[in-house]
Amino acid sequence: MTESTQEFFEEDTLVGVLTAEPLDRVLDYKAPEGGCWLGAYVQVPLGPRKVLGVVWAPGRGDWNPAKIRQVLKVLDVAPMRAEMREFLGRVGSYTLTPMSQMLRLATRAPGLADPPSMRKLYRIGYDTPDRMTDARTRVIAVLEEYGGQSFTLGELSDMAGVSSSVIKGLVKQGAVDEIDTPRDAPYLTLDPQRPGKELTAAQAAASARICEGISERVYGTTLLKGVTGSGKTEVYLEAVAETLRKGRQALVLLPEIALTSEFLTRVKQRFGAEPAEWHSGVTMTERRRCWRMVGQGGAQLVVGARSALYLPFRDLGLIVVDEEHDTSYKQEDGALYNARDMSVLRASLTDAQVVLASATPSLESWWNAESGKYTRIDLTDRFGPAVMPDMRAIDMRAEDLPGSRWISPSLHRAVESRMEKGEQALLFLNRRGYAPVTICRACGEQVGCDFCDARMVEHRFLKRLMCHQCGETKPMPEACPSCGVEGKMAPVGPGVERLAEEAAALFPNATQAVLSSDLFGSARALKARIAEIAEGETDIIIGTQLVAKGHNFPRLTLVGVIDADLGLQGSDLRAAERTFQLMRQVAGRAGRAERPGTALLQTFQPEHPVIRAILSGDEEGFWKAEAEERRATGMPPFGRLAGIVISAPEAAAAFDLGTHLARADAPIRAIDGQVFGPAPAPIARIRGRHRVRLLVKAPKGAPIQGALRQWLGGVKLPGNLRLSVDIDPQSFY
Ligand code: ADP
Ligand code: ZN
């Protein structure tokens, strides 16, 4: 939509401004000198402060006109588009998130109100240098190759492989121009005409189908299901190319920051330059640049984490959600939204295509494809010679293994045989730290967190006990905190650190690396480590969930899952689905190059239906069975859920409110819904706050948000109580 079709407010007319302050109402202001457009980002006075806002609607005029203040200034950024305002409104009402909070999500860039700062850029000049050197020739060649584009000193010296003094020398000679430009400069142009890899027939067919929707500029969602290594990324890069050719923007969401560097390299190979990035590892200046450039069209492709969905795209034509089943797409604090589902909403508002890529889709997406809401495309073969690994169970009931040891003789032998061949093995255990429990052998006391209803996990590298709920740590006690006996505290159960100790003893000649999120200070350190491992320096990789995600380890041919039963315990609705996805994914790490891989799953219940489905690879069978079970119990996607958590310093206060709500459930019953609880939440105390849960279940298609608003709308929360609502909860904690 161009500005001219939007509403314009003349100076002094009343406008309603939404701010990111927790007021939950659009406030009236007078339009500033020169007027403003609907959607303009503005700075307004609020009490003694100046705050950021967006002109959201005409003013309501129900406020004392004498008290209405004037908009201070209109920010120098493109106004928020009508489609974006609608998107924020829809997400807000779906997730019951106040609009102020939605606006905060959409303006997460620092210094939007500041005037643009400047920096120096370099581009080709008019004069010829007095004397050419190799280095100088390279600089000129780079600048000529990229036509009229300009670069920072760092970019140019990297690209030409010269020191900055060479460039400065050329500036003096007039062969290179130094220009002052706003810091928020456009990103380098991606060239979608560059040829991609030659696609296989299946890949080409998949990309053709997605590109059709892009050419026609219509909304559509495609579930792109393909085993790891089948070329899903190649296929969606083609869709990105088609989107860029149409002059529209593309967004690729990735679940894990550590993955971006690999992806950036692939984008650069494909399109000749890197895309814009948006995630927590990006500097504040870059965030601001990204936000502004997305809005002005100076960024064609953004690679980002879930919150990139709220960037002010000018013309978004494609959203790719890679590893769409990943739980990190569900924001679990602040606004509770699922970036996967909201991508579909956003795309439908801008006639864009969505690609949900996964080797192990979520049951919801699988069902949406099954029922015809999404198009499904399968890539069944790995690219090149790699084949899916051979998967087998190790029946732990038949293994001779002393307590406090976790690598069975069968797994031991398998690892040994890989070491002999110079291949890599991965031992997978989804538990951080040394031992999940520390117990006193004198009295049986288990060391818990002082603030949470959780046991403290020993982290031997850090030499401390840590609570995985709140992050609190304390030193390992010498004496039992309960009975006072000294020297009796003992670790129980394995974590990756303890497993590493066992592996070091069993394979003294092997080099090993532990990959666990808490062992790396920064995403950069983690990336560096992963690159080293991929190079093949390491014989045995010991890792948590972190290694399950997309990294390529070409020499890896064996995956040993230490405890395949781990995820099956617990009452979580998604326990089976998650275990299935995680095990298939971890196994997919093995045998990505020429050598075939094997995955061995240590289990005490090899006949468990989920373990059997994992081993047989009967994915459709697994999903059908899961879907049937959910249908029978009215669970998502065949019914709707909302989780309510009430927390308070005193358990009784939280329970009282829970009980009151459960009794006043008429609005929920009116939509044929049910309220369960109150009950203590599975983690009944976090950071010193007691937590009580209610679960609302309603039939599919029931207007659950309206009912919830009515039900909870009347609640007056005493100061120290908090209530949060989670629509479509992913986990119960
Ligand atoms: P996925 O995203 O499904 O895991 P990728 O797209 O990463 O798969 O492909 C796996 C590997 O195979 C990558 O190194 C990729 O470059 C390579 N590859 C896939 N398809 C092709 C192709 N048609 N031509 C050349 N290499 C390919
Ligand atoms: Zn804690």
Side-chain angles (χ1 to χ4, degrees):
M1 196 179 298
T2 59
E3 282 191 3
S4 60
T5 62
Q6 295 223 19
E7 205 169 335
F8 186 77
F9 299 99
E10 301 292 344
E11 181 172 348
D12 281 342
T13 44
L14 287 187
V15 292
V17 174
L18 175 69
T19 70
E21 307 300 309
L23 295 166
D24 293 322
R25 127 178 200 143
V26 171
L27 302 174
D28 275 4
Y29 286 91
K30 283 187 234 157
E33 195 185 326
C36 62
W37 294 99
L38 183 62
Y41 289 84
V42 292
Q43 196 175 50
V44 293
L46 190 69
R49 295 184 305 140
K50 296 174 182 174
V51 302
L52 177 77
V54 168
V55 177
W56 206 256
R60 305 204 312 187
D62 55 359
W63 186 248
N64 178 356
K67 285 195 175 162
I68 292 181
R69 300 162 80 180
Q70 190 161 34
V71 170
L72 293 171
K73 68 171 175 185
V74 177
L75 306 189
D76 183 24
V77 294
M80 187 186 279
R81 313 175 65 77
E83 151 252 307
M84 185 65 172
R85 295 201 300 279
E86 167 148 20
F87 176 60
L88 295 180
R90 300 258 293 255
V91 176
S93 63
Y94 187 86
T95 59
L96 301 182
T97 304
M99 282 314 289
S100 56
Q101 215 168 322
M102 291 310 303
L103 184 62
R104 223 169 304 149
L105 267 178
T107 51
R108 270 198 193 154
L112 288 181
D114 301 346
S117 61
M118 306 298 275
R119 65 170 175 182
K120 293 196 184 328
L121 288 185
Y122 298 83
R123 67 173 181 212
I124 194 89
Y126 291 106
D127 297 335
T128 327
D130 53 0
R131 168 177 71 79
M132 285 307 273
T133 60
D134 278 358
R136 285 182 168 184
T137 311
R138 284 205 299 278
V139 174
I140 302 294
V142 165
L143 290 175
E144 276 173 349
E145 184 185 343
Y146 285 90
Q149 291 200 39
S150 40
F151 304 92
T152 63
L153 197 57
E155 282 167 353
L156 187 54
S157 64
D158 270 0
M159 290 167 82
V162 302
S163 70
S164 49
S165 60
V166 174
I167 298 166
K168 293 282 188 182
L170 286 167
V171 170
K172 266 201 203 106
Q173 308 250 321
V176 170
D177 279 350
E178 184 180 78
I179 37 178
D180 278 315
T181 44
R183 190 165 282 284
D184 302 325
Y187 290 83
L188 295 185
T189 310
L190 306 189
D191 179 5
Q193 307 300 2
R194 286 167 62 121
K197 299 209 166 94
E198 196 178 319
L199 299 184
T200 63
Q203 290 170 348
S207 96
R209 271 186 77 179
I210 300 166
C211 288
E212 204 176 298
I214 294 170
S215 313
E216 289 170 10
R217 298 178 84 95
V218 290
Y219 158 75
T221 297
T222 302
L223 173 61
L224 179 61
K225 179 182 176 308
V227 294
T228 326
S230 57
K232 296 184 294 298
T233 311
E234 295 301 333
V235 168
Y236 73 66
L237 283 177
E238 276 311 306
V240 169
E242 181 66 12
T243 309
L244 302 190
R245 275 181 224 123
K246 292 280 172 261
R248 305 187 79 188
Q249 293 168 302
L251 167 64
V252 173
L253 295 178
L254 298 177
E256 174 99 15
I257 302 174
L259 274 179
T260 43
S261 75
E262 197 179 325
F263 185 72
L264 296 182
T265 313
R266 284 179 77 165
V267 169
K268 189 161 181 188
Q269 282 165 357
R270 179 73 179 76
F271 301 115
E274 290 193 352
E277 282 182 78
W278 179 269
H279 51 73
S280 58
V282 170
T283 63
M284 284 300 161
T285 342
E286 272 305 299
R287 275 174 93 89
R288 190 178 102 146
R289 176 183 178 206
C290 181
W291 195 95
R292 283 178 174 255
M293 285 307 123
V294 164
Q296 290 172 23
Q300 296 156 284
L301 169 64
V302 178
V303 176
R306 59 187 173 223
S307 60
L309 199 53
Y310 298 96
L311 285 170
F313 288 95
R314 221 164 78 133
D315 187 11
L316 185 59
L318 171 71
I319 306 175
V320 175
V321 185
D322 202 355
E323 310 283 354
E324 66 90 32
H325 61 277
D326 196 278
T327 50
S328 71
Y329 285 122
K330 181 69 189 267
Q331 168 79 296
E332 296 281 14
D333 46 46
L336 296 171
Y337 65 92
N338 188 323
R340 178 194 62 215
D341 301 344
M342 296 308 124
S343 293
V344 172
L345 171 62
R346 176 131 205 211
S348 71
L349 297 174
T350 61
D351 300 324
Q353 289 284 314
V354 178
V355 175
L356 306 177
S358 175
T360 52
S362 60
L363 185 77
E364 276 82 354
S365 296
W366 177 84
W367 174 249
N368 280 330
E370 220 34 27
S371 59
K373 239 171 103 182
Y374 298 168
T375 306
R376 172 166 165 179
I377 302 179
D378 282 50
L379 295 175
T380 48
D381 300 316
R382 282 190 171 188
F383 178 76
V387 287
M388 266 312 269
D390 173 27
M391 297 182 72
R392 271 173 282 147
I394 293 177
D395 186 346
M396 294 300 278
R397 295 167 305 191
E399 295 282 325
D400 187 14
L401 194 63
S404 73
R405 294 263 304 277
W406 291 277
I407 300 171
S408 66
S410 301
L411 183 56
H412 182 174
R413 279 192 299 278
V415 174
E416 214 146 53
S417 79
R418 306 297 142 149
M419 300 298 101
E420 280 159 15
K421 284 189 269 182
E423 297 171 355
Q424 271 177 337
L426 163 68
L427 299 179
F428 177 80
L429 177 64
N430 203 12
R431 259 190 185 150
R432 294 179 287 141
Y434 185 81
V437 179
T438 300
I439 197 168
C440 167
R441 275 182 282 131
C443 75
E445 167 79 4
Q446 303 184 352
V447 183
C449 174
D450 295 340
F451 309 99
C452 304
D453 192 9
R455 296 197 194 92
M456 296 289 267
V457 177
E458 182 182 354
H459 283 248
R460 218 162 255 199
F461 288 166
L462 302 174
K463 301 195 175 59
R464 291 181 83 80
L465 292 170
M466 184 193 284
C467 169
H468 285 182
Q469 294 311 321
C470 71
E472 178 70 19
T473 69
K474 55 184 168 193
M476 188 72 185
E478 272 298 313
C480 172
S482 173
C483 71
V485 174
E486 278 186 35
K488 289 282 183 192
M489 302 308 291
V492 179
V496 278
E497 295 176 12
R498 197 171 189 189
L499 185 64
E501 206 173 84
E502 185 181 345
L506 288 178
F507 312 103
N509 299 322
T511 50
Q512 62 177 46
V514 181
L515 279 181
S516 172
S517 54
D518 56 309
L519 299 178
F520 294 89
S522 66
R524 189 186 302 262
L526 174 63
K527 264 190 295 209
R529 193 76 185 100
I530 288 171
E532 258 171 58
I533 294 172
E535 294 294 314
E537 294 299 316
T538 309
D539 300 318
I540 301 179
I541 307 163
I542 292 170
T544 60
Q545 183 153 317
L546 198 64
V547 297
K549 304 188 178 175
H551 312 295
N552 254 322
F553 301 120
R555 220 160 48 85
L556 181 71
T557 56
L558 174 71
V559 168
V561 175
I562 298 300
D563 187 353
D565 308 332
L566 194 57
L568 292 175
Q569 300 145 6
S571 54
D572 205 307
L573 166 69
R574 293 183 167 78
E577 185 188 346
R578 291 243 171 91
T579 303
F580 183 78
Q581 287 161 345
L582 190 58
M583 293 298 116
R584 300 276 310 167
Q585 262 191 331
V586 175
R589 300 294 111 219
R592 302 237 330 167
E594 298 72 29
R595 300 179 240 213
T598 304
L600 298 174
L601 276 59
Q602 297 194 144
T603 171
F604 284 93
Q605 35 187 344
E607 63 292 325
H608 191 292
V610 175
I611 302 286
R612 289 229 304 254
I614 294 167
L615 295 175
S616 68
D618 179 12
E619 300 172 82
E620 299 304 314
F622 171 78
W623 277 311
K624 286 203 177 97
E626 263 301 285
E628 265 327 300
E629 196 159 322
R630 299 231 195 134
R631 191 200 299 274
T633 49
M635 290 304 229
F638 305 98
R640 307 203 53 193
L641 292 181
I644 316 286
V645 172
I646 303 166
S647 73
E650 305 293 328
F655 258 102
D656 286 349
L657 178 59
T659 311
H660 164 77
L661 281 172
R663 287 206 191 108
D665 67 347
I668 304 298
R669 274 187 287 117
I671 58 161
D672 288 329
Q674 281 171 283
V675 177
F676 298 92
I683 301 167
R685 195 166 58 115
I686 296 185
R687 291 189 188 87
R689 298 183 68 86
H690 292 268
R691 306 171 74 244
V692 167
R693 272 193 75 97
L694 295 152
L695 187 67
V696 174
K697 196 173 150 196
K700 192 176 174 63
I704 194 168
Q705 282 88 355
L708 287 169
R709 247 181 243 114
Q710 221 188 327
W711 184 44
L712 302 171
V715 174
K716 284 269 169 296
L717 281 182
N720 50 11
L721 260 76
R722 265 181 244 146
L723 183 149
S724 74
V725 183
D726 185 0
I727 306 283
D728 310 332
Q730 287 287 309
S731 59
F732 301 99
Y733 71 95

